[in-house]
């Protein structure tokens, strides 16, 4: 593999974000955290389609995740944290830009491009977390699944959107007419490529972690770094299901697809430990915030039964659903010596809070585009602002068979599906599993939630049902 020189951008200042939809009675964090020495490093670890109940620390009984459970016991575990939405591409767009699903450029895995279906990239006018941290003096790296660009335009790939070093899969047809194989990982766009041969590795994420370890060894130690590790486990793809001996004692009790599903999650746990151990040996842990989460709820694909391991922890729904099982995800924050060990928080937060949180960590002003608020105070055990409500929408078929919207305001959760034109209402305080629709007995709450649903979706040329067509 060729060696590459990391490119550092010049620092700049962003417009201060006046966080909207925040309760007025909460103490804002007006002063930026002051750090001695270089700014803190940031690592964001993202699983692909991991359900709320697939870690031991979140109640999993059969799948072993010893390291992530240990990390949870040493850090802060979120019980009410949400993905951007319930499917890969739009959820990752929300993560990268800090815009919620009603404002995001990408609202499904595809959209209308000149009247035809295709992949929708982020707008060049939208700043990404990578660009924000580049401008703050960070060296930035993205390894794994990007899913926010188009194959024909490399400027939409991670390398062109704020990452000095980018190793990503890409699929589709390139501008040159070449069919791109997602097993081929492109290094800094077309500067180099490495093909993933699944016979050479225990799992795809071992292959990707090797890139990360190489990056950590060769980075500039005088500068802070941001590493976005976008894993592929436990997403369903047959050629990623490497042969292994994990859970071999279950071969008669479990179907092979389920044994491999469990094995891959355990292998992901092992790869994250490799990354953590490398940081420990380098002395970087005390100056590194590590966050682990998932892009949406558990999948039900490739003959995998999402209920076999109780993957959503009993929550209703799965990937592509706006019920809790589709969007509530595990979230662990670890920062050695700064996060109180073994704490749990029920703060209601979502992917669009990650950008302002990382701005806070870096000590720069929060980009105006974001709908989020920094949750760094909560992570550090300080007074924390709270959202008045959280919002989601999805423009794919799948679970709901049509566009759907959802909002959470305190204990109340509203779900509205275009095909039914009715708003369901759940009291998550007493009905976490959304079994009892109480819309009929709380019409005033339904009206309040409908107002939120009707106001939060703005028009988007790629999604004809967005922006006012789905009213109360």
């Amino acid at each position: 593999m060729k060696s590459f020189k990391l490119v550092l951008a010049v620092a700049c200042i962003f417009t201060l974000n006046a966080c909207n939809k925040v309760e007025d009675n909460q103490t804002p964090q007006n002063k930026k955290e002051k750090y001695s020495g270089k700014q803190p490093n940031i690592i964001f670890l993202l699983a692909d389609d991991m359900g709320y109940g697939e870690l031991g620390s979140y109640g999993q009984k059969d799948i072993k995740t010893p390291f992530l459970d240990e990390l949870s016991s040493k850090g802060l575990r979120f019980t009410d944290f949400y993905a951007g939405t319930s499917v890969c591409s739009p959820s990752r767009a929300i993560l990268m830009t800090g815009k919620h699903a009603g404002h995001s450029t990408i609202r499904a895995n595809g959209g209308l491009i000149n009247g035809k279906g295709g992949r929708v990239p982020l707008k060049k006018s939208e700043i990404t977390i990578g660009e924000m941290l580049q401008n703050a003096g960070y060296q930035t790296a993205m390894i794994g699944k990007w899913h926010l660009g188009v194959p024909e335009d490399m400027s939409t790939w991670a390398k062109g959107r704020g990452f000095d070093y980018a190793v990503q899969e890409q699929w589709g047809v390139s501008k040159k007419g070449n069919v791109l194989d997602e097993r081929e990982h492109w290094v800094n766009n077309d500067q180099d490529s490495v093909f993933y041969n699944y016979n050479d590795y225990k799992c795809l994420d071992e292959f990707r972690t090797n890139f990360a370890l190489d990056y950590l060894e060769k980075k500039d130690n005088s500068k802070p770094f941001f590493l976005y590790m976008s894993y592929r486990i436990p997403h369903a793809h047959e050629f990623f299901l490497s042969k292994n001996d994990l859970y071999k004692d279950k071969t008669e009790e479990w179907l092979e697809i389920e044994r491999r599903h469990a094995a891959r999650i355990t292998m992901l746990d092992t790869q994250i430990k490799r990354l953590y151990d490398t940081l420990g040996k380098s002395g970087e842990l005390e100056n590194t915030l590590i966050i682990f989460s998932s892009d949406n709820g558990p999948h039900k694909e490739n003959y995998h039964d999402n209920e076999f391991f109780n993957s959503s922890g009993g929550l209703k729904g799965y990937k592509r659903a706006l019920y809790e099982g589709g969007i509530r995800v595990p979230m662990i924050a670890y920062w050695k010596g700064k996060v109180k060990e073994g704490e749990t928080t029920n703060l209601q937060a979502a992917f669009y809070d990650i950008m302002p949180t990382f701005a806070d960590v870096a000590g720069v002003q929060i980009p105006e585009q974001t709908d989020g608020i920094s949750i760094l105070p909560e992570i550090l055990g300080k007074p924390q602002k709270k959202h008045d409500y959280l919002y989601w929408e999805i423009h794919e078929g799948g679970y709901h068979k049509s566009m759907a919207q959802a909002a959470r305001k305190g204990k109340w959760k509203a779900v509205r599906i275009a095909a039914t034109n009715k708003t369901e209402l759940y009291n998550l305080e007493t009905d976490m599993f959304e079994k009892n629709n109480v819309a009929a007995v709380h019409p005033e709450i339904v009206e309040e939630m409908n107002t939120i649903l009707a106001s939060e979706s703005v028009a988007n040329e790629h999604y004809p049902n967005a922006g006012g067509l789905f009213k109360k």
Side-chain angles (χ1 to χ4, degrees):
M1 186 185 303
K2 301 175 184 177
S3 60
F4 304 102
K5 187 179 293 183
L6 296 176
V7 180
L8 294 175
V10 180
C12 72
I13 299 175
F14 299 103
T15 305
L16 179 64
N17 174 40
C19 294
N20 57 356
K21 304 177 188 67
V22 176
E23 292 182 359
D24 294 333
N25 62 352
Q26 299 298 319
T27 303
Q29 185 190 29
N30 293 319
K31 295 181 179 179
K32 297 297 178 187
E33 192 81 16
K34 300 298 182 183
Y35 304 101
S36 59
K38 69 177 183 180
Q39 295 155 294
N41 307 312
I42 303 169
I43 297 180
F44 192 86
L45 308 170
L46 187 65
D48 194 348
D49 297 354
M50 178 175 283
Y52 186 80
E54 291 192 306
L55 297 180
S57 54
Y58 282 83
Q60 178 55 226
K61 303 300 183 185
D62 296 311
I63 303 173
K64 297 178 178 64
T65 53
F67 177 71
L68 285 169
D69 297 341
E70 180 185 352
L71 198 69
S72 177
S73 71
K74 292 179 178 178
L76 180 64
R77 183 174 69 91
F78 285 71
T79 62
D80 292 60
F81 186 78
Y82 293 90
T85 188
S86 57
V87 76
C88 305
S89 186
S91 190
R92 292 158 188 267
I94 291 160
L95 171 69
M96 274 293 119
T97 64
K99 295 181 177 182
H100 72 46
H103 297 156
S104 179
T105 296
I106 304 174
R107 305 193 196 180
N109 277 347
L112 292 178
I113 307 291
N114 298 322
K116 297 181 180 180
R119 292 211 174 268
V120 178
L122 294 175
K123 291 180 179 178
K124 298 297 176 63
S125 60
E126 297 172 302
I127 187 170
T128 68
I129 288 177
E131 290 163 340
M132 177 188 77
L133 292 176
Q134 267 188 339
N135 291 331
Y138 278 67
Q139 51 193 323
T140 57
M142 197 293 301
I143 298 171
K145 180 176 176 178
W146 177 239
H147 216 1
L148 300 175
V150 294
E152 301 85 359
D153 183 0
M154 284 188 177
S155 71
T156 68
W157 295 16
K159 174 65 176 175
R161 296 313 315 264
F163 292 93
D164 306 312
Y165 178 69
V167 181
Q168 71 170 88
E169 62 187 42
Q170 184 57 267
W171 56 91
V173 179
S174 72
K175 190 173 184 178
K176 298 178 181 179
N178 299 324
V179 177
L180 302 177
D181 189 323
E182 60 188 306
R183 287 172 290 182
E184 186 169 18
H185 284 58
W186 298 84
V187 183
N188 289 349
N189 288 353
D190 57 352
Q191 203 166 28
D192 194 9
S193 68
V194 181
F195 192 84
Y196 167 66
N197 186 334
Y198 59 92
N199 289 317
D200 295 338
Y201 300 90
K202 293 179 180 178
C203 64
L204 173 65
D205 289 327
E206 179 189 18
F207 172 79
R208 291 179 173 177
T209 300
N210 287 347
F211 281 100
L213 299 183
D214 185 63
Y215 169 77
L216 291 175
E217 180 183 348
K218 296 178 180 178
K219 65 179 174 57
D220 182 352
N221 290 326
S222 69
K223 299 287 187 180
F225 69 86
F226 168 51
L227 173 60
Y228 171 34
M229 282 299 298
S230 183
Y231 294 109
R232 193 56 180 266
I233 290 172
H235 190 282
H237 265 282
E238 186 61 40
F239 61 77
F240 293 144
L241 301 179
S242 305
K243 295 179 180 179
N244 60 78
D245 293 328
L246 291 176
Y247 304 104
K248 61 182 179 181
D249 59 321
K250 300 289 187 178
T251 52
E252 294 184 5
E253 183 180 349
W254 295 354
L255 293 175
E256 180 64 9
I257 189 67
E258 307 304 350
R259 187 184 72 82
R260 290 187 173 190
H261 180 87
R264 292 167 68 237
I265 291 175
T266 300
M267 288 190 287
L268 173 61
D269 186 83
T270 299
Q271 299 312 312
I272 293 174
K273 186 178 187 302
R274 289 178 67 203
L275 195 62
Y276 177 92
D277 289 346
T278 297
L279 287 170
K281 290 175 183 177
S282 68
E284 297 273 16
L285 277 179
E286 289 80 0
N287 197 44
T288 304
L289 170 63
I290 301 173
I291 290 181
F292 172 85
S293 193
S294 173
D295 64 344
N296 47 250
H299 72 82
K300 188 179 182 179
E301 300 166 359
N302 200 30
Y303 304 104
H304 165 61
D305 180 359
N306 65 295
E307 295 183 358
F308 187 84
F309 294 111
N310 196 26
S311 293
S312 64
L315 299 174
K316 182 178 181 178
Y318 47 88
K319 182 178 178 179
R320 293 184 171 85
L322 292 188
Y323 296 112
E324 294 291 283
I327 54 177
R328 192 187 292 212
V329 291
M331 155 62 154
I332 299 167
Y334 172 82
W335 195 345
K336 186 176 181 180
K338 293 187 181 294
V339 176
K340 191 173 181 180
E341 291 192 8
E343 292 287 297
T344 297
T345 176
N346 62 359
L347 178 72
Q348 295 170 25
F351 266 18
Y352 50 94
D353 295 322
I354 297 299
M355 171 177 267
T357 299
F358 289 174
D360 238 1
V361 172
V364 298
Q365 292 179 317
I366 298 169
E368 189 175 3
Q369 72 186 28
T370 181
D371 295 298
I373 59 177
S374 171
I375 59 173
L376 182 61
E378 186 75 6
I379 292 171
L380 298 179
K382 298 180 179 181
Q384 173 67 51
K385 301 181 202 177
K386 295 181 180 178
H387 286 280
D388 184 28
Y389 55 82
L390 298 174
Y391 176 81
W392 305 268
E393 67 181 57
I394 186 72
H395 289 258
E396 295 208 354
Y399 190 96
H400 296 302
K401 308 301 182 186
S402 64
M403 179 199 174
Q405 293 175 287
R408 179 171 182 183
K409 183 177 175 65
K411 67 182 181 181
W412 299 109
K413 169 79 176 295
V415 179
R416 187 174 175 91
I417 303 165
T420 67
N421 203 32
K422 293 181 180 179
T423 299
E424 302 168 19
L425 183 69
Y426 301 93
N427 182 346
L428 296 184
E429 192 174 87
T430 59
D431 182 24
M432 179 178 173
F433 304 128
E434 296 170 295
K435 294 181 178 180
N436 302 304
N437 178 7
V438 295
V441 294
H442 293 285
E444 74 288 354
I445 302 297
V446 172
E447 184 67 18
E448 181 181 0
M449 301 303 279
N450 276 342
T451 299
I452 294 171
L453 298 178
S455 65
E456 288 305 309
S457 182
V458 301
N460 184 309
E461 62 180 310
H462 306 295
Y463 308 97
N465 288 323
L469 296 182
F470 189 37
K471 293 285 189 179
K472 60 181 179 178

